[in-house]
Amino acid sequence: MTTTSQTPQSVMTGTSARRVRAIAVGGAVLATGLVWLAAYVLDIDLRVDQRNGQPPMIVGLPLVTGFTLVLALLGWGALAVLERYIRRARTIWTVVAIAVLMVSFVPILGVEATSGTKSVLSLMHLAVAAVLIPMLRRSAPKPHSAAT
């Protein structure tokens, strides 16, 4: 009699997890770029006054995609660190990611900008979260339940 062990479908190999995570990062950058492009086409002026005496900041495509890339990579890195040291890394990372999304709206409330600009900036934050959170979560292994 032979026994076979099956790997749960939720467990990804290191290579496939990295691939999904890289696609998630690229997708987040693409999503914010598309939102920025839509704002540009709709002629929404993406300028914010930070109320610090400096001239208003123009939210350009390089700024948007650069910030998205850096922050998406930080999200990936945070997940990788949690996976290394914590059993329920996937759940903890998801809660932290949602909390970071909520906190990311605070600066939008604190700047002087048109409602169109604030709406576009909010959509950018939501677009990043809509891509990153489910994809990075999917790439993380589920905690193994104890056999009964």
Side-chain angles (χ1 to χ4, degrees):
M1 179 168 156
T2 60
T3 58
T4 60
S5 87
Q6 291 183 325
T7 304
Q9 290 182 0
S10 64
V11 177
M12 294 188 175
T13 64
T15 303
S16 64
R18 279 191 297 275
R19 184 177 301 125
V20 169
R21 291 173 186 191
I23 291 169
V25 169
V29 171
L30 180 62
T32 55
L34 290 173
V35 173
W36 183 92
L37 184 61
Y40 180 79
V41 168
L42 295 171
D43 202 27
I44 297 173
D45 185 28
L46 294 178
R47 292 178 196 266
V48 294
D49 184 357
Q50 299 176 5
R51 300 180 185 169
N52 61 2
Q54 300 295 321
M57 180 177 73
I58 298 171
V59 181
L61 185 60
L63 179 69
V64 166
T65 56
F67 265 99
T68 302
L69 177 62
V70 168
L71 294 173
L73 290 172
L74 283 172
W76 178 350
L79 179 57
V81 168
L82 286 171
E83 286 174 336
R84 185 172 180 105
Y85 297 107
I86 298 175
R87 184 171 175 258
R88 297 201 177 272
R90 173 181 160 140
T91 303
I92 293 168
W93 182 87
T94 303
V95 170
V96 169
I98 292 169
V100 168
L101 171 64
M102 295 301 134
V103 170
S104 77
F105 290 107
V106 171
I108 295 172
L109 299 172
V111 296
E112 189 69 34
T114 66
S115 59
T117 298
K118 288 185 176 189
S119 296
V120 169
L121 293 174
S122 296
L123 282 173
M124 286 180 188
H125 290 224
L126 290 171
V128 170
V131 173
L132 275 184
I133 293 173
M135 288 187 76
L136 290 182
R137 179 177 167 77
R138 190 185 113 204
S139 73
K142 289 182 182 177
H144 300 292
S145 59
T148 55

